[in-house]
Amino acid sequence: MDPRQERQVSRPEAGGRRASPGSVRRDFQPWNDPTAKPLVEFRNVTKRFGAVVAVDRLSLAIHQREFFALLGPSGCGKTTLMRMLAGFEQPDEGEILLDGVDITAVPPHKRPVNMMFQSYALFPHLSVGDNIAYGLKREGLPKAEIAARVEAMLGRVRLKGMEKRRPDQLSGGQRQRVALARALVKQPKLLLLDEPLGALDKKLREETQYELMDLQADLGLTFMVVTHDQDEAMTMADRMAVMDHGRLLQIAPPDLIYEAPASRFVAEFVGDINLIEGRVTAVAGDLVTLESKSAGVIELDEDAPSCRPGDAITVGLRPEKIALSHDEPGQANNKVAGEIWDIGYLGDMTMVQVMVGGDQGKLFKVSLTNRTRRIERPFAWEDKVWLSWDVEAGMVLAS
Amino acid sequence: MSTPVPRSSGTGRGLLVAAIPYLWLVAFFLAPFVIVLRIALSDAATDQPPYAPHFPGISQLGEFLGALDLENFRLLGDDPLYWQSYLSSLRIAALTTLIALAIGYPLAYAMALAPKRWQGILLVLVILPFWTSFLIRVYAWIGILRPDGLLDMALMGIGLTAEPLRLLNTDTAVLIGMVYSYLPFMVLPLFSTLQKLDGTLLEAASDLGATPLTTFLTVTLPLSIPGILAGSALVFIPAIGEFVIPDLLGGSDTLMVGKVLWNEFFSNRDWPLASAVAIVLLVVLVLPLMLLQRARGQGEGSVR
């Protein structure tokens, strides 16, 4: 059966648990509730491997029913963080709490936490059914209950009729679902997913993202996903954390990470961005005026700006926030002239590179959404164009 | 650009390459086997070579074939000495295999768990005995096991035993020598299997609630069965026909088929009977191997 169809059928049955698809669950923001008790807490956790500090005095709280994504470049410590939660690594300092209980010294097989491995780690000598039943057998449950729960889980991950097969007789997508089922059937308090979609091709990855989100919402479980793929993290997560060099740079819902990044690293790591260096000339209320070398005078609207006249700051400008025109825009606050150097046509959108300030100037990325089926494109290489953007578009970035 | 090799000569060369192992088997296995079989079907004779009939030429092939018979094999069945020596060999080889497995598995497991930079050194240590001649190493055991030898001196020195153990020239001494000699053949395939074992599988088992012991029994052990089978075959097969170790370390009552074969061949100069002993030994060894291979093939067949 086509998974999309099944999803559409199952959505209404979920009883509106999810107010709207995606990460926007308006009523679900336990991290803003000071009385909420987090499910997982890292308190000043440090982990070193020899001289390398993998996780550096890190504190973090994850709440019940949250879909939490940990995003970062490879080697940033995100996998170590997850492995400490599963119990495969011991922190050198600090403590890890689950449901208010310190689990720092609890061995992996006694933790109510399950993990879906990046390589899936399916037991090659066991059938699909035995792989899924493995964890339940270790709990010493009655045979009938194990069989019933395995059966139900097989249905949930659409693997009915496959229980006799061996892992090497399955496709990549099927193996992924066995790995997921094997961890889910234990009904863990917390499910860890290490690059859960990394080995799937693009189409399957997109489908599986939504399946994971539905499963998480339906089962009411807490998921923590580690990924280096920002699309994946932004699509699925209620909140995401951007990690680098063993530290969490920002923890926020995906839209805040994108539209209000806490630092220049976060802004550059998540999505495309144009960075403009400049010096503040005036601050009037929320309106900051700055003088930049690459784009002249820029005005931007910043909530309670912390910068003062004379400060050197970096302004970030997302490519889709910039408008492109042949004629000089009349009343835009920010506008600058340039020449098109490159046009990348991507189907749904077009990425235009505009050189501002002559040959040695600065290259601006501008993205245009292709909303009509126009074959003739309005812009071509070497066109003289104007860039313009609102005062709300730019954001001041801490370096 | 190189000119393409003409197809016919390419496949001709391919055929030749494919034929080499078969030619090897025909020249060094099948042909000697046919000769041994032919001697086994002959009768002993005070002659040079010491059996009859001799091959008279292709014209009298019928008479020649008529003179061959299964009498030697009948004798093997009638005389209890022979089947007892087969059983005794099987028993000693099986014990050797089991003991080598019991010692070799933990050894190989520890090696596989050791840090990567140590593994090379440990591997060299396992194969280091091969630097010295097999015969000399077995001789050395005589010095260790003989009454008032190194072992007795050590044990009596620390007061564990009051008198010599008299191990030399017993089946125990044979077992010790066999286990010592064949242990590397058990350790090496086990190590290579255990080393390849995916560590995340063990983590997954532990993550799903398995204690370390359960993880070993449900994941490590089943996945190391190929290594166990390979190691056991490598120990069991040479052990069953072993001659040097029972000859040097065993007693007069140590019954092993290798010794019987040697006696028939060199002491009694009964080449036909010795050949019959050898052929039965070959069948005893090859049949279970073929069954094993077939079982494995079927196992894979059911998986596909």
Side-chain angles (χ1 to χ4, degrees):
Chain A
M1 191 199 281
D2 179 18
R4 285 168 203 276
Q5 277 177 8
E6 189 177 81
R7 215 170 30 245
Q8 271 154 10
V9 172
S10 73
R11 267 248 162 76
E13 285 172 4
R17 240 179 276 201
R18 189 193 294 279
S20 55
S23 59
V24 188
R25 290 194 277 178
R26 279 177 213 287
D27 50 337
F28 183 76
Q29 292 185 341
W31 50 87
N32 287 333
D33 177 2
T35 61
K37 255 184 67 185
L39 177 71
V40 178
E41 252 185 292
F42 280 73
R43 289 187 183 160
N44 269 315
V45 171
T46 296
K47 174 71 188 175
R48 297 183 201 92
F49 293 107
V52 180
V53 182
V55 172
D56 190 7
R57 285 162 293 159
L58 182 143
S59 295
L60 170 67
I62 299 173
H63 294 266
Q64 192 103 42
R65 293 182 156 232
E66 196 176 347
F67 200 130
F68 192 88
L70 205 52
L71 180 71
S74 61
C76 71
K78 57 187 193 295
T79 302
T80 306
L81 192 70
M82 171 172 276
R83 289 176 58 82
M84 283 197 286
L85 254 180
F88 300 134
E89 307 284 355
Q90 290 294 308
D92 293 314
E93 287 160 31
E95 51 189 11
I96 302 167
L97 282 77
L98 184 72
D99 243 356
V101 181
D102 186 353
I103 57 161
T104 316
V106 177
H109 64 274
K110 291 190 180 145
R111 294 189 184 198
V113 172
N114 286 110
M115 179 157 167
M116 192 190 130
F117 290 77
Q118 182 176 9
S119 63
Y120 307 148
L122 299 179
F123 303 123
H125 58 298
L126 299 182
S127 67
V128 167
D130 285 342
N131 261 285
I132 298 174
Y134 188 90
L136 298 177
K137 284 184 185 157
R138 303 289 87 79
E139 288 177 32
L141 294 175
K143 269 202 171 123
E145 189 187 340
I146 294 179
R149 275 168 74 173
V150 169
E151 188 65 24
M153 192 45 75
L154 280 166
R156 204 163 237 307
V157 296
R158 295 181 291 113
L159 285 170
K160 269 222 161 74
M162 305 251 182
E163 55 263 52
K164 292 273 183 292
R165 296 217 190 160
R166 303 258 168 173
D168 63 354
Q169 294 170 292
L170 301 177
S171 71
Q174 288 167 339
R175 277 204 287 274
Q176 193 259 4
R177 297 208 296 276
V178 176
L180 184 65
R182 190 178 67 175
L184 274 180
V185 79
K186 294 267 287 178
Q187 300 172 348
K189 281 185 180 172
L190 173 68
L191 181 69
L192 307 172
L193 301 106
D194 188 4
E195 305 275 2
L197 312 175
L200 305 180
D201 58 56
K202 191 166 177 275
K203 267 264 150 52
L204 199 55
R205 198 155 59 213
E206 279 169 14
E207 282 175 22
T208 313
Q209 278 176 3
Y210 294 107
E211 281 180 23
L212 275 180
M213 291 158 65
D214 284 355
L215 266 175
Q216 190 256 348
D218 282 2
L219 299 175
L221 295 175
T222 311
F223 277 24
M224 177 168 153
V225 172
V226 156
T227 177
H228 68 277
D229 183 325
Q230 48 176 292
D231 293 343
E232 208 173 292
M234 294 182 83
T235 307
M236 296 192 291
D238 293 312
R239 273 195 312 162
M240 57 196 265
V242 179
M243 194 167 178
D244 192 38
H245 293 301
R247 315 201 71 156
L248 294 178
L249 302 177
Q250 188 172 8
I251 310 169
D255 50 349
L256 275 181
I257 297 261
Y258 187 78
E259 302 291 8
S263 70
R264 186 171 163 164
F265 179 88
V266 175
E268 282 192 278
F269 189 73
V270 180
D272 259 332
I273 198 153
N274 298 295
L275 296 174
I276 305 165
E277 317 263 348
R279 195 165 288 281
V280 178
T281 53
V283 179
D286 285 350
L287 195 70
V288 179
T289 310
L290 69 143
E291 179 76 43
S292 74
K293 218 178 93 185
S294 49
V297 176
I298 295 174
E299 288 181 339
L300 58 96
D301 194 337
E302 179 91 352
D303 278 348
S306 58
C307 50
R308 283 197 302 261
D311 286 356
I313 59 169
T314 304
V315 171
L317 195 57
R318 298 283 183 196
E320 74 281 3
K321 306 281 193 293
I322 303 175
L324 202 59
S325 58
H326 281 112
D327 304 320
E328 181 172 354
Q331 35 206 310
N333 293 63
N334 300 299
K335 57 186 173 187
V336 59
E339 185 187 335
I340 294 181
W341 273 41
D342 241 324
I343 297 178
Y345 175 70
L346 301 172
D348 56 342
M349 53 172 250
T350 302
M351 211 30 127
V352 184
Q353 308 247 29
V354 180
M355 182 57 91
V356 171
D359 282 0
Q360 303 299 314
K362 181 177 170 53
L363 217 45
F364 276 74
K365 283 181 236 166
V366 181
S367 68
L368 306 173
T369 310
N370 299 327
R371 298 182 55 139
T372 57
R373 287 187 59 210
R374 245 184 332 218
I375 297 302
E376 271 191 36
R377 302 286 148 200
F379 298 103
W381 288 6
E382 296 179 12
D383 278 6
K384 304 279 187 225
V385 289
W386 283 88
L387 310 180
S388 58
W389 61 91
D390 286 347
V391 282
E392 281 90 13
M395 48 204 179
V396 178
L397 298 174
S399 49
Chain B
M1 283 287 283
S2 62
T3 49
V5 179
R7 204 180 176 83
S8 60
S9 101
T11 51
R13 203 182 307 166
L15 265 179
L16 188 68
V17 170
I20 286 175
Y22 291 103
L23 290 175
W24 178 277
L25 278 177
V26 165
F28 296 106
F29 178 76
L30 194 60
F33 177 78
V34 167
I35 294 170
V36 171
L37 183 64
R38 170 242 189 281
I39 298 176
L41 296 173
S42 311
D43 296 317
T46 43
D47 205 344
Q48 194 62 261
Y51 52 86
H54 294 292
F55 189 55
I58 204 81
S59 55
Q60 287 155 285
L61 187 68
E63 279 171 49
F64 169 70
L65 287 179
L68 299 179
D69 56 45
L70 290 167
E71 210 206 306
N72 290 314
F73 292 96
R74 222 170 289 132
L75 183 67
L76 287 188
D78 290 344
D79 192 334
L81 170 83
Y82 297 105
W83 56 261
Q84 274 174 5
S85 68
Y86 280 118
L87 281 184
S88 170
S89 282
L90 281 172
R91 190 180 61 89
I92 291 181
L95 270 175
T96 303
T97 309
L98 283 179
I99 298 171
L101 183 62
I103 300 175
Y105 200 103
L107 202 66
Y109 196 60
M111 282 169 65
L113 289 182
K116 274 269 175 292
R117 62 204 152 89
W118 282 95
Q119 285 182 356
I121 299 169
L122 293 171
L123 209 55
V124 168
L125 285 178
V126 168
I127 54 177
L128 197 63
F130 294 127
W131 263 237
T132 312
S133 154
F134 169 70
L135 205 60
I136 291 173
R137 284 184 284 128
V138 177
Y139 256 109
W141 276 102
I142 296 179
I144 297 172
L145 295 175
R146 76 182 150 79
D148 296 315
L150 286 173
L151 184 66
D152 279 341
M153 273 161 58
L155 288 179
M156 291 193 290
I158 56 173
L160 269 177
T161 53
E163 52 190 272
L165 288 172
R166 304 199 180 283
L167 281 174
L168 192 62
N169 303 331
T170 63
D171 283 3
T172 312
V174 175
L175 268 182
I176 292 174
M178 301 262 265
V179 169
Y180 161 79
S181 302
Y182 290 117
L183 190 58
F185 298 105
M186 180 63 87
V187 171
L188 293 178
L190 274 176
F191 169 71
S192 101
T193 308
L194 289 170
Q195 191 203 23
K196 275 184 288 188
L197 192 71
D198 184 357
T200 58
L201 293 181
L202 308 182
E203 285 187 345
S206 156
D207 185 69
L208 292 166
T211 59
L213 180 66
T214 313
T215 303
F216 176 79
L217 292 177
T218 56
V219 181
T220 311
L221 196 59
L223 288 177
S224 58
I225 284 175
I228 293 176
L229 289 181
S232 299
L234 284 180
V235 171
F236 185 77
I237 292 169
I240 208 167
E242 178 60 49
F243 162 71
V244 173
I245 297 171
D247 193 53
L248 291 181
L249 303 180
S252 51
D253 57 340
T254 303
L255 212 52
M256 282 196 74
V257 78
K259 254 175 92 176
V260 170
L261 208 156
W262 170 279
N263 281 336
E264 292 300 341
F265 201 90
F266 292 100
S267 309
N268 301 347
R269 265 182 84 77
D270 191 342
W271 286 22
L273 190 61
S275 301
V277 170
I279 282 182
V280 171
L281 179 61
L282 190 75
V283 171
V284 166
L285 283 181
V286 165
L287 267 186
L289 271 184
M290 276 167 60
L291 290 177
L292 189 75
Q293 200 68 29
R294 237 181 72 182
R296 206 187 291 176
Q298 277 173 352
E300 271 164 25
S302 74
V303 164
R304 302 273 152 229

